[in-house]
């Protein structure tokens, strides 16, 4: 894949200030692309002012620097770069709209245009893949710090290059980053290693699996993950626990995130498959994401039951 690096470089060179945005509940691809790009700009354009903004972060946040605080007047004169975000509603910090120029780089299924200039490659496995190939084409120095940020997001979104979104371009991006000082062991442990609290929770989670007609799922209440010392964001990331089961075509983890006005629990759904398309089903419930990896928020138990039924029907249709 060839990307026009000059498109990005010329925009960066035209502005003294660049503010980098990403989606809410930021995962490793969002954070890796955000800090990877920030580092690359700072390394190659030391006189520019570069900020990474956003408040809502997921379980990966501990591996990244703190977010920057930026005045409104700074953003109003800046280039805004929005990374790894499918819809405008999911951008973490609404001030992106106030920027002087707005770019978007993402790999999600294209459902809406919301930036003035956009590079959206639905076939890319991660936004970090797109950025790595853009920076490769740019031909400027790439520091080990930048390479590690981008590689981290790349392996997180591809589960170490093991899912169907992985392509030869993904591997080319990975090879390029490895040439620039990536610590493979550290990045692997960062995403796929576990503390004892995680291990015990994951072991318990396996006992909660319900499986029928190719669909596997587990429902986790707040008291369940808190009992293991995990936060909501840490608990909901554990959907990968069900990913290697031959009998499952689709798997889902429902993690309590809130309660409604009557005190009934509401759940977020982390939904995955190897090859079964899921994005249209997720969209019908107000969620979205990728073809085989989606998220849905604020589902009650009745909606969960209907969603599971829809997933079973999809698996039956494709059997």
């Amino acid at each position: 894949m060839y990307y026009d690096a000059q498109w990005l470089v010329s925009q960066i060179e035209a502005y003294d200030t660049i503010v980098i945005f990403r989606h809410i509940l930021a995962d490793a691809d969002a954070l890796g692309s955000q800090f990877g790009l920030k580092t690359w700009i700072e390394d190659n354009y030391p006189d520019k002012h570069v900020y990474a903004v956003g408040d809502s972060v997921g379980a990966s946040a501990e591996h990244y620097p703190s977010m920057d605080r930026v005045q409104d007047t700074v953003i109003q004169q800046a280039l805004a770069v929005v990374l790894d975000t499918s819809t405008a509603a999911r951008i973490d910090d609404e001030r992106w709209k106030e920027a002087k120029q707005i770019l978007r780089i993402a790999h999600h299924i294209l459902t809406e245009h919301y930036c003035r200039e956009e590079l959206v490659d639905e076939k890319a496995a991660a936004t970090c893949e797109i950025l790595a190939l853009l920076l490769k084409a740019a031909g400027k120095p790439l520091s080990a710090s930048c390479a590690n940020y981008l590689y981290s997001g790349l392996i997180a979104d591809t589960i170490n290059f093991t899912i169907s979104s992985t392509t030869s371009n993904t591997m080319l991006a990975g090879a390029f980053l490895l040439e620039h000082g990536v610590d493979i062991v550290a990045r692997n442990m960062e995403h796929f290693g576990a503390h004892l609290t995680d291990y015990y929770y994951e072991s318990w989670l396996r006992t909660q699996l319900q499986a029928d007609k190719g669909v596997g799922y587990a429902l986790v209440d707040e008291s369940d993950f808190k009992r293991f010392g995990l936060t909501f964001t840490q608990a909901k990331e554990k959907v990968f626990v069900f990913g290697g089961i031959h009998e499952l075509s689709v798997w889902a983890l429902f993690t309590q995130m809130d309660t409604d006005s009557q005190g009934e629990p509401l759940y977020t759904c982390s939904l995955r498959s190897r090859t079964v398309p899921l994005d249209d089903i997720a969209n019908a419930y107000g969620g979205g994401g990728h073809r085989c990896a989606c998220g849905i928020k604020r589902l009650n138990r009745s909606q969960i039951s209907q969603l599971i039924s829809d997933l079973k029907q999809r698996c039956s249709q494709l059997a």
Side-chain angles (χ1 to χ4, degrees):
M1 170 63 68
Y2 172 77
Y3 296 119
D4 180 12
Q6 190 56 37
W7 168 78
L8 177 62
V9 171
S10 62
Q11 295 283 0
I12 291 170
E13 291 181 345
Y15 288 85
D16 294 328
T17 302
I18 299 98
V19 184
I20 307 173
F21 298 78
R22 41 73 181 165
H23 63 74
I24 59 172
L25 292 175
D27 57 9
D29 190 31
L31 292 168
S33 58
Q34 189 178 34
F35 284 103
L37 180 59
K38 179 184 180 183
T39 302
W40 184 84
I41 297 172
E42 290 174 336
D43 289 342
N44 288 281
Y45 302 94
D47 293 333
K48 294 188 181 293
H49 305 286
V50 192
Y51 304 99
V53 299
D55 292 319
S56 176
V57 294
S60 299
E62 63 182 287
H63 303 293
Y64 298 88
S66 299
M67 309 307 297
D68 297 313
R69 299 298 172 189
V70 185
Q71 296 293 324
D72 294 354
T73 53
V74 173
I75 294 177
Q76 289 162 6
Q77 298 302 314
L79 166 67
V81 183
V82 181
L83 298 173
D84 195 41
T85 309
S86 56
T87 63
R90 285 182 54 78
I91 302 173
D92 191 356
D93 194 326
E94 293 186 354
R95 295 178 298 167
W96 65 275
K97 302 173 187 175
E98 302 173 13
K100 204 164 188 178
Q101 170 66 312
I102 309 169
L103 310 181
R104 174 192 183 192
I105 300 172
H107 73 121
H108 300 85
I109 294 171
L110 184 58
T111 58
E112 66 177 74
H113 296 280
Y114 58 81
C115 288
R116 294 168 198 156
E117 296 192 36
E118 299 179 319
L119 171 56
V120 179
D121 185 355
E122 299 178 8
K123 295 182 180 179
T127 299
C128 283
E129 173 186 321
I130 300 173
L131 273 178
L133 295 177
L134 273 170
L135 301 186
K136 182 177 187 293
K140 295 181 180 292
L142 189 85
S143 66
S145 178
C146 175
N148 274 276
Y149 283 137
L150 294 176
Y151 188 83
S152 181
L154 188 63
I155 63 170
D157 255 26
T158 61
I159 314 179
N160 241 348
F161 309 110
T162 62
I163 61 175
S164 59
S165 61
T166 304
T167 67
S168 58
N169 291 322
T170 314
M171 306 307 283
L172 284 172
F176 168 66
L177 297 172
L178 287 175
E179 293 172 354
H180 291 83
V182 169
D183 186 334
I184 295 179
V185 174
R187 300 290 75 77
N188 183 71
M189 285 301 295
E190 177 181 313
H191 293 291
F192 307 109
H195 296 290
L196 281 174
T197 51
D198 298 287
Y199 177 81
Y200 293 141
Y201 176 73
E202 292 166 17
S203 297
W204 171 83
L205 195 57
R206 289 181 174 90
T207 70
Q208 304 303 300
L209 177 67
Q210 299 186 56
D212 184 39
K213 298 180 180 178
V215 177
Y217 64 93
L219 190 146
V220 178
D221 288 317
E222 184 179 33
S223 59
D224 294 323
F225 61 77
K226 283 192 171 181
R227 177 161 54 94
F228 289 91
L230 271 64
T231 65
F232 161 73
T233 54
Q234 290 170 329
K236 79 179 188 67
E237 300 292 334
K238 304 299 185 179
V239 64
F240 65 83
V241 167
F242 307 133
I245 301 172
H246 286 292
E247 290 81 1
L248 299 183
S249 299
V250 174
W251 53 99
L253 178 59
F254 299 96
T255 310
Q256 185 181 350
M257 62 181 300
D258 201 354
T259 56
D260 63 19
S261 58
Q262 284 76 45
E264 294 300 316
L266 296 173
Y267 300 83
T268 184
C269 172
S270 300
L271 185 59
R272 303 288 187 270
S273 78
R274 282 178 288 275
T275 58
V276 176
L278 300 171
D279 52 292
D280 59 328
I281 295 177
N283 291 341
Y285 287 84
H290 307 288
R291 183 173 180 271
C292 298
C294 299
I296 310 170
K297 291 182 180 178
R298 300 181 67 79
L299 295 172
N300 59 37
R301 294 199 179 196
S302 176
Q303 291 171 313
I304 288 173
S305 295
Q306 184 58 53
L307 172 58
I308 292 169
S309 177
D310 291 345
L311 294 172
K312 289 179 182 178
Q313 183 177 7
R314 173 61 55 85
C315 288
S316 297
Q317 291 171 342
L318 297 177

